[in-house]
Short mmCIF file of all heavy atoms in Angstrom, two decimals:
data_model
loop_
_atom_site.label_atom_id
_atom_site.label_comp_id
_atom_site.label_asym_id
_atom_site.label_seq_id
_atom_site.Cartn_x
_atom_site.Cartn_y
_atom_site.Cartn_z
N ILE A 13 -3.50 -8.69 11.48
CA ILE A 13 -3.22 -9.32 10.18
C ILE A 13 -2.99 -8.21 9.12
O ILE A 13 -3.91 -7.47 8.94
CB ILE A 13 -4.48 -10.21 9.72
CG1 ILE A 13 -4.96 -11.14 10.87
CG2 ILE A 13 -4.10 -11.03 8.49
CD1 ILE A 13 -3.95 -12.05 11.40
N GLY A 14 -1.81 -8.24 8.60
CA GLY A 14 -1.58 -7.18 7.58
C GLY A 14 -0.41 -6.28 8.11
O GLY A 14 -0.54 -5.60 9.02
N ALA A 15 0.77 -6.34 7.37
CA ALA A 15 1.95 -5.38 7.75
C ALA A 15 2.09 -4.37 6.74
O ALA A 15 3.13 -4.03 6.34
CB ALA A 15 3.24 -6.30 7.83
N GLY A 16 0.93 -3.71 6.38
CA GLY A 16 0.85 -2.48 5.75
C GLY A 16 0.87 -1.33 6.67
O GLY A 16 0.89 -1.46 7.87
N MET A 17 0.68 -0.05 6.06
CA MET A 17 0.52 1.08 6.91
C MET A 17 -0.55 1.01 8.11
O MET A 17 -0.36 1.40 9.15
CB MET A 17 0.40 2.40 6.03
CG MET A 17 0.31 3.59 6.90
SD MET A 17 1.64 3.93 7.99
CE MET A 17 2.81 4.68 6.98
N ALA A 18 -1.78 0.46 7.60
CA ALA A 18 -2.71 0.42 8.66
C ALA A 18 -2.48 -0.52 9.73
O ALA A 18 -2.62 -0.16 10.96
CB ALA A 18 -4.03 0.01 7.91
N ASP A 37 1.75 -11.43 8.29
CA ASP A 37 1.60 -11.03 6.91
C ASP A 37 1.92 -12.30 6.01
O ASP A 37 2.85 -13.00 6.23
CB ASP A 37 2.45 -9.86 6.56
CG ASP A 37 1.86 -9.12 5.32
OD1 ASP A 37 2.00 -9.64 4.11
OD2 ASP A 37 1.40 -7.95 5.49
N LYS A 38 1.21 -12.27 4.90
CA LYS A 38 1.35 -13.46 3.97
C LYS A 38 2.53 -13.34 3.19
O LYS A 38 3.08 -14.22 2.53
CB LYS A 38 0.10 -13.59 3.09
CG LYS A 38 -0.13 -12.48 2.05
CD LYS A 38 -1.31 -12.69 1.29
CE LYS A 38 -1.81 -11.45 0.45
NZ LYS A 38 -0.77 -10.99 -0.52
N GLY A 43 5.18 -3.63 4.52
CA GLY A 43 4.68 -2.35 3.80
C GLY A 43 3.49 -2.54 2.82
O GLY A 43 2.91 -1.60 2.41
N GLY A 44 3.11 -3.78 2.53
CA GLY A 44 2.01 -4.04 1.68
C GLY A 44 2.14 -3.24 0.32
O GLY A 44 3.12 -3.31 -0.42
N ARG A 45 1.10 -2.50 0.10
CA ARG A 45 1.16 -1.56 -1.15
C ARG A 45 2.14 -0.42 -1.07
O ARG A 45 2.40 0.17 -2.18
CB ARG A 45 -0.22 -1.13 -1.41
CG ARG A 45 -1.19 -2.10 -2.08
CD ARG A 45 -2.60 -1.68 -2.11
NE ARG A 45 -3.30 -1.79 -0.82
CZ ARG A 45 -4.31 -1.23 -0.44
NH1 ARG A 45 -4.97 -0.26 -1.18
NH2 ARG A 45 -4.91 -1.37 0.74
N MET A 46 2.74 -0.16 0.07
CA MET A 46 3.88 0.81 0.09
C MET A 46 5.11 -0.11 -0.26
O MET A 46 5.94 -0.38 0.61
CB MET A 46 3.99 1.44 1.44
CG MET A 46 2.88 2.42 1.66
SD MET A 46 2.90 3.17 3.31
CE MET A 46 4.32 4.34 3.15
N GLY A 59 4.22 0.55 -5.95
CA GLY A 59 2.90 0.73 -5.48
C GLY A 59 2.76 2.22 -5.19
O GLY A 59 2.89 2.95 -6.09
N ALA A 60 2.45 2.51 -3.86
CA ALA A 60 2.24 3.96 -3.57
C ALA A 60 3.39 4.78 -3.97
O ALA A 60 4.56 4.39 -3.68
CB ALA A 60 2.01 4.02 -2.02
N GLN A 61 3.20 5.93 -4.61
CA GLN A 61 4.32 6.73 -5.16
C GLN A 61 4.82 7.76 -4.18
O GLN A 61 6.01 8.07 -4.16
CB GLN A 61 3.77 7.47 -6.43
CG GLN A 61 3.29 6.54 -7.45
CD GLN A 61 4.63 5.77 -8.01
OE1 GLN A 61 5.46 6.32 -8.54
NE2 GLN A 61 4.72 4.47 -7.76
N TYR A 62 3.99 8.26 -3.33
CA TYR A 62 4.40 9.29 -2.38
C TYR A 62 3.16 9.46 -1.47
O TYR A 62 2.21 8.76 -1.66
CB TYR A 62 4.65 10.71 -3.03
CG TYR A 62 3.53 11.21 -3.82
CD1 TYR A 62 2.52 11.94 -3.16
CD2 TYR A 62 3.25 10.94 -5.23
CE1 TYR A 62 1.45 12.45 -3.91
CE2 TYR A 62 2.24 11.42 -5.92
CZ TYR A 62 1.22 12.16 -5.30
OH TYR A 62 0.24 12.64 -5.91
N LEU A 131 2.69 -15.96 6.43
CA LEU A 131 1.62 -16.69 7.04
C LEU A 131 0.32 -16.06 6.57
O LEU A 131 0.12 -14.87 6.90
CB LEU A 131 1.62 -16.61 8.56
CG LEU A 131 2.56 -17.60 9.22
CD1 LEU A 131 2.37 -17.60 10.79
CD2 LEU A 131 2.43 -19.06 8.78
N ARG A 132 -0.48 -16.70 5.83
CA ARG A 132 -1.72 -16.25 5.39
C ARG A 132 -2.97 -16.67 6.31
O ARG A 132 -3.08 -17.93 6.44
CB ARG A 132 -1.96 -16.52 3.94
CG ARG A 132 -3.29 -16.08 3.26
CD ARG A 132 -3.62 -16.78 2.09
NE ARG A 132 -2.74 -16.49 1.00
CZ ARG A 132 -2.99 -15.62 0.03
NH1 ARG A 132 -4.23 -14.95 0.07
NH2 ARG A 132 -2.14 -15.31 -0.87
N LEU A 133 -3.65 -15.79 6.70
CA LEU A 133 -4.77 -16.22 7.59
C LEU A 133 -5.89 -16.75 6.65
O LEU A 133 -6.25 -16.15 5.64
CB LEU A 133 -5.41 -14.96 8.36
CG LEU A 133 -6.55 -15.15 9.22
CD1 LEU A 133 -6.16 -16.24 10.32
CD2 LEU A 133 -7.27 -13.98 9.77
N ALA A 161 -6.18 -5.84 8.85
CA ALA A 161 -5.82 -4.69 8.16
C ALA A 161 -5.37 -5.05 6.76
O ALA A 161 -4.20 -4.93 6.41
CB ALA A 161 -4.58 -3.94 8.86
N ILE A 162 -6.31 -5.52 6.00
CA ILE A 162 -6.08 -6.11 4.70
C ILE A 162 -7.19 -5.60 3.73
O ILE A 162 -8.22 -5.14 4.12
CB ILE A 162 -6.04 -7.67 4.73
CG1 ILE A 162 -7.42 -8.26 5.26
CG2 ILE A 162 -4.97 -8.15 5.73
CD1 ILE A 162 -7.47 -9.73 5.29
N PRO A 163 -6.94 -5.72 2.44
CA PRO A 163 -8.02 -5.20 1.48
C PRO A 163 -9.31 -5.89 1.57
O PRO A 163 -9.37 -7.06 2.11
CB PRO A 163 -7.43 -5.49 0.13
CG PRO A 163 -5.89 -5.48 0.36
CD PRO A 163 -5.73 -6.06 1.75
N GLN A 166 -10.06 -9.41 0.50
CA GLN A 166 -9.46 -10.48 1.24
C GLN A 166 -9.94 -10.53 2.78
O GLN A 166 -9.90 -11.55 3.37
CB GLN A 166 -7.85 -10.09 1.34
CG GLN A 166 -7.24 -10.37 0.03
CD GLN A 166 -5.82 -9.70 -0.09
OE1 GLN A 166 -5.57 -8.60 0.32
NE2 GLN A 166 -4.95 -10.40 -0.85
N CYS A 189 -4.44 -2.22 -10.70
CA CYS A 189 -3.48 -1.32 -11.42
C CYS A 189 -2.28 -2.20 -11.87
O CYS A 189 -1.69 -2.87 -11.07
CB CYS A 189 -3.00 -0.30 -10.42
SG CYS A 189 -1.62 0.82 -11.13
N HIS A 235 2.14 3.66 -14.20
CA HIS A 235 0.88 3.04 -13.72
C HIS A 235 -0.12 3.16 -14.88
O HIS A 235 -0.45 4.21 -15.22
CB HIS A 235 0.47 3.79 -12.44
CG HIS A 235 1.14 3.33 -11.23
ND1 HIS A 235 1.09 4.01 -10.01
CD2 HIS A 235 2.00 2.30 -10.93
CE1 HIS A 235 1.84 3.50 -9.13
NE2 HIS A 235 2.35 2.38 -9.71
N TRP A 278 -1.32 -5.07 -9.50
CA TRP A 278 -1.96 -4.92 -8.24
C TRP A 278 -3.42 -5.21 -8.37
O TRP A 278 -4.08 -4.47 -9.11
CB TRP A 278 -1.84 -3.49 -7.74
CG TRP A 278 -0.39 -3.03 -7.39
CD1 TRP A 278 0.45 -2.34 -8.20
CD2 TRP A 278 0.37 -3.45 -6.16
NE1 TRP A 278 1.69 -2.22 -7.59
CE2 TRP A 278 1.61 -2.91 -6.36
CE3 TRP A 278 0.04 -4.09 -5.03
CZ2 TRP A 278 2.56 -2.89 -5.39
CZ3 TRP A 278 1.00 -4.18 -4.00
CH2 TRP A 278 2.35 -3.65 -4.21
N ALA A 281 -5.72 -2.26 -5.85
CA ALA A 281 -4.85 -1.07 -5.65
C ALA A 281 -5.43 -0.01 -4.92
O ALA A 281 -4.94 0.41 -3.89
CB ALA A 281 -4.54 -0.57 -7.17
N GLN A 282 -6.68 0.53 -5.31
CA GLN A 282 -7.27 1.56 -4.52
C GLN A 282 -8.75 1.37 -4.61
O GLN A 282 -9.39 0.96 -5.69
CB GLN A 282 -6.87 2.92 -5.13
CG GLN A 282 -5.43 3.30 -4.68
CD GLN A 282 -4.87 4.50 -5.10
OE1 GLN A 282 -4.71 4.75 -6.42
NE2 GLN A 282 -4.59 5.50 -4.32
N GLY A 301 -7.88 -0.18 7.25
CA GLY A 301 -7.25 -0.15 5.84
C GLY A 301 -7.63 1.18 5.30
O GLY A 301 -8.67 1.78 5.67
N ASP A 302 -6.90 1.59 4.26
CA ASP A 302 -7.17 2.78 3.52
C ASP A 302 -8.64 2.83 3.04
O ASP A 302 -9.29 3.83 3.22
CB ASP A 302 -6.20 2.96 2.39
CG ASP A 302 -6.25 1.81 1.38
OD1 ASP A 302 -6.70 0.83 1.69
OD2 ASP A 302 -5.74 2.06 0.18
N GLN A 307 -8.41 6.42 0.07
CA GLN A 307 -7.55 5.73 -1.00
C GLN A 307 -6.03 5.82 -0.66
O GLN A 307 -5.35 5.35 -1.56
CB GLN A 307 -7.79 6.28 -2.30
CG GLN A 307 -9.27 6.13 -2.96
CD GLN A 307 -9.19 6.57 -4.32
OE1 GLN A 307 -8.61 7.60 -4.68
NE2 GLN A 307 -9.82 5.85 -5.20
N ARG A 308 -5.64 6.52 0.32
CA ARG A 308 -4.40 6.93 0.43
C ARG A 308 -3.61 6.45 1.63
O ARG A 308 -4.31 5.99 2.59
CB ARG A 308 -4.23 8.49 0.42
CG ARG A 308 -4.95 9.15 -0.85
CD ARG A 308 -5.03 10.66 -0.76
NE ARG A 308 -5.68 11.12 0.50
CZ ARG A 308 -5.05 11.82 1.57
NH1 ARG A 308 -3.74 12.09 1.42
NH2 ARG A 308 -5.71 12.23 2.54
N VAL A 309 -2.34 6.65 1.66
CA VAL A 309 -1.41 6.28 2.82
C VAL A 309 -1.95 6.88 4.06
O VAL A 309 -2.06 6.30 5.10
CB VAL A 309 0.06 6.66 2.51
CG1 VAL A 309 0.87 6.42 3.79
CG2 VAL A 309 0.60 5.75 1.39
N ALA A 312 -4.93 5.16 5.46
CA ALA A 312 -4.52 3.85 6.05
C ALA A 312 -3.97 3.99 7.54
O ALA A 312 -4.27 3.34 8.49
CB ALA A 312 -3.37 3.05 5.22
C1 LIG B 22 -0.36 1.24 -7.63
C2 LIG B 22 -0.66 2.08 -6.35
C3 LIG B 22 -0.48 3.37 -6.28
C4 LIG B 22 -0.77 4.15 -5.20
N1 LIG B 22 -0.32 5.38 -5.09
C5 LIG B 22 -0.49 6.08 -3.94
C6 LIG B 22 -0.05 7.38 -3.76
O1 LIG B 22 0.69 7.87 -4.66
N2 LIG B 22 -0.25 8.03 -2.52
C7 LIG B 22 -1.02 7.46 -1.56
O2 LIG B 22 -1.23 8.12 -0.54
N3 LIG B 22 -1.43 6.18 -1.71
C8 LIG B 22 -1.27 5.45 -2.76
N4 LIG B 22 -1.69 4.16 -2.98
C9 LIG B 22 -2.42 3.58 -1.87
C10 LIG B 22 -1.63 3.19 -0.71
O3 LIG B 22 -0.63 2.31 -1.19
C11 LIG B 22 -2.52 2.59 0.30
O4 LIG B 22 -3.52 3.42 0.69
C12 LIG B 22 -1.82 2.06 1.59
O5 LIG B 22 -0.59 1.53 1.31
C13 LIG B 22 -2.70 0.98 2.15
O6 LIG B 22 -2.23 0.37 3.34
P1 LIG B 22 -3.03 -0.76 4.09
O7 LIG B 22 -2.15 -1.15 5.25
O8 LIG B 22 -4.45 -0.33 4.23
O9 LIG B 22 -3.10 -2.01 3.06
P2 LIG B 22 -1.97 -2.78 2.35
O10 LIG B 22 -0.74 -1.99 2.14
O11 LIG B 22 -2.58 -3.58 1.20
O12 LIG B 22 -1.50 -3.97 3.49
C14 LIG B 22 -2.23 -5.18 3.62
C15 LIG B 22 -1.29 -6.24 3.98
O13 LIG B 22 -2.03 -7.39 4.27
C16 LIG B 22 -1.37 -8.55 3.72
N5 LIG B 22 -2.50 -9.63 3.70
C17 LIG B 22 -3.56 -9.58 2.94
N6 LIG B 22 -4.38 -10.70 3.14
C18 LIG B 22 -3.70 -11.41 4.13
C19 LIG B 22 -3.97 -12.62 4.78
N7 LIG B 22 -5.12 -13.22 4.60
N8 LIG B 22 -3.15 -13.00 5.69
C20 LIG B 22 -2.04 -12.30 6.03
N9 LIG B 22 -1.67 -11.22 5.41
C21 LIG B 22 -2.56 -10.71 4.38
C22 LIG B 22 -0.73 -8.05 2.47
O14 LIG B 22 0.27 -8.96 2.13
C23 LIG B 22 -0.36 -6.71 2.91
O15 LIG B 22 1.00 -6.61 3.31
C24 LIG B 22 -1.38 3.43 -4.12
C25 LIG B 22 -1.62 2.03 -4.18
C26 LIG B 22 -1.16 1.34 -5.31
C27 LIG B 22 -1.37 -0.11 -5.33
#
Side-chain angles (χ1 to χ4, degrees):
I13 313 301
M17 177 55 85
D37 201 289
K38 65 181 170 59
R45 281 171 279 156
M46 293 177 72
Q61 295 297 291
Y62 60 86
L131 281 188
R132 179 194 289 265
L133 181 65
I162 61 182
Q166 290 163 323
C189 176
H235 282 166
W278 295 101
Q282 283 177 299
D302 57 345
Q307 296 189 315
R308 302 176 304 116
V309 169

